[in-house]
Amino acid sequence: MINLLPNVIHMKDQFITATWETIYMTFLSAIIAGVIGLALGVLLVVSQKHGILEDSIIYSFTDKTVNVLRSIPFIILLAVIAPLTNYIVGTTIGTTAALVPLIFGIFPFYARQVQNALLEIDPGVVEAAQSMGSSPIGIIFSVYLREGLPDIIRASTFTVISLVSLTTVAGAIGAGGLGDVAISIGYARFEGDVTVVAMLIILVLIFAIQIIGDRLAKHFEQF
Amino acid sequence: MADSIIQLKDISVIFKDEQKELTAVKDVNLEIEKGDIYGVIGYSGAGKSTLVRVINLLQKPTKGTVQVNQQQLLDLDESKLRQARKKIGMIFQHFNLMKSRTVLNNVEYPLLRESISKSDRQDKARKLLELVGLAEFENAYPDQLSGGQKQRVAIARALANDPEVLISDEATSALDPKTTMSILKLLKHLNQQLGVTIVLITHEMQAIKTICHNVAVMEKGQIIERGPVASVFTEPQQPLTKDFVDTSTNVKEALARIGNDPQISKLDENQRLITLSFVGQSSKQSLISELARKLNVDANILFANVDQIDGISVGTMIAILTGTPDTLKQAVSLLTENGVKITEVKSSALKEDVAND
């Protein structure tokens, strides 16, 4: 054991802390970006041409904003957004500070995923709901989010997995977590076993997310 | 008219693209009486689906007024319009059921935001499912049902708010002929039992013939012919209407077949090839045997078809009459006197017809 993992063996506590930091960053930013992304995804679908609340100005503004934010490479976004992070959190270092760029990095991506999931819903079903006198709010909750739920869950799984990956990038510039351990200890000090173990823990996290996501999607698709 | 439930006045619908304008419906006036089953027939692209979507304002007309149930729909605000729509049920070609809900949940969906208790709501949905003959399927999901069953669920759902009007937009077009008949029968039954006015859009004359009382024929966004089904059917005025009628009675096909048979298309001088159309009473008389008995004119029947349209018998026959020129003339007048419409088919015209096809 000592031969195989000479450095990891002395870092048990550090790994446990780093794992929790990664989980904390992933899930808190997933929840906040999830709400923003879901709202924007719905907004894109209802405001598009022939949507239930067609509005070309809102649509094109949202569409372009999402496109621009999605185009910024995450490592650059981290740097560009630092003043805003500092303004909101009071610092740019640490897991809580990392939430700001993580949220901005992922919500545009998630908005597109939600939009695509909702576009899969048969417009005829929406039309039928309109013909029955459903209000736009009723259609959003009872038709779009309900009929699209399995696809939204799949998109969410995919998004959370991407988010884990982003937390490691954030880790490289001082956010903590497994990315930080892998890079600033494992890579910088030539302690290869640290890097490998960090990677393995991340893989376990990702598999767990995938399995939970698949189960949930199946559960809501039992028809 | 006081008892008309739907009144569309001067309706035009124009779709504008960046480059071009498309007039889908042009200056259409349509009045439908309460309790009627009104058919709108036309080929795809004729504007019939656009026109009926104007009835519940799923399609806002560019011009004109829409009155349903004594309400001017274009004057209503959004929430009042939603209330009005609840009284206008609609069913669709592809059923448009919600996949994530059971049959029962689909039927109760329109009642979810109404102020009735869950048990009342489900009781009502169960009654509707019973009415359409699907009581035992309440826990199934739409994907487990056949097309005909899905349409029955859609009908039950459309009836949940006790609508005054039921719009059927090509509701049988995706179904096989047998299922089509059973759905049409169900619609007729609902019309009789609940008194719901039905507007039926279709491209099949068979559907119109089976249940409609009145019909409008649409072409290029306009109604080109309208009236009681029996009279439109027996005396079609426009070429398109004739086309629909001939297709549904198979007369066109029969004439083509006859034209292809050299023995039939070559007639003697004392023979005449005619088509006979008869309506109501005249279909009950034994005119053909009378021809033989009284005038010694023989009829060789090549094709015959009798339909029930709106409770009236309507028939078409193609026959070769053989006699002397004199008795043939008398035969024609005897038939005409008895209300039979005679059209002589020239064998040369037959060939042209075939050539054109």
Side-chain angles (χ1 to χ4, degrees), chain B residues 125-137:
Chain B
R126 286 198 180 94
K127 267 192 200 120
L128 288 165
L129 282 173
E130 212 166 293
L131 186 65
V132 299
L134 283 179
E136 67 271 39
F137 287 94

Side-chain angles (χ1 to χ4, degrees), chain A residues 49 122 124-125 127-136 138-139 141-143 146-147 222-223, chain B residues 17 53 56 58 82 85-86 88 90 92 96-101 109-110 113 141 143 157 161:
Chain A
K49 201 165 186 209
D122 182 358
V125 177
E127 190 182 37
Q130 283 181 300
S131 82
M132 288 182 276
S134 293
S135 63
I139 291 174
F141 284 100
S142 307
V143 181
R146 172 92 188 234
E147 290 286 293
Q222 48 176 215
F223 42 80
Chain B
D17 211 352
R53 273 171 173 65
N56 58 9
L58 281 181
R82 287 201 286 273
R85 275 181 181 159
K86 288 178 181 165
I88 310 172
M90 190 163 185
F92 305 84
N96 297 349
L97 297 174
M98 297 177 200
K99 282 201 280 188
S100 66
R101 290 173 200 265
Y109 172 83
R113 273 155 231 283
Y141 283 94
D143 280 354
R157 181 177 69 173
N161 275 310

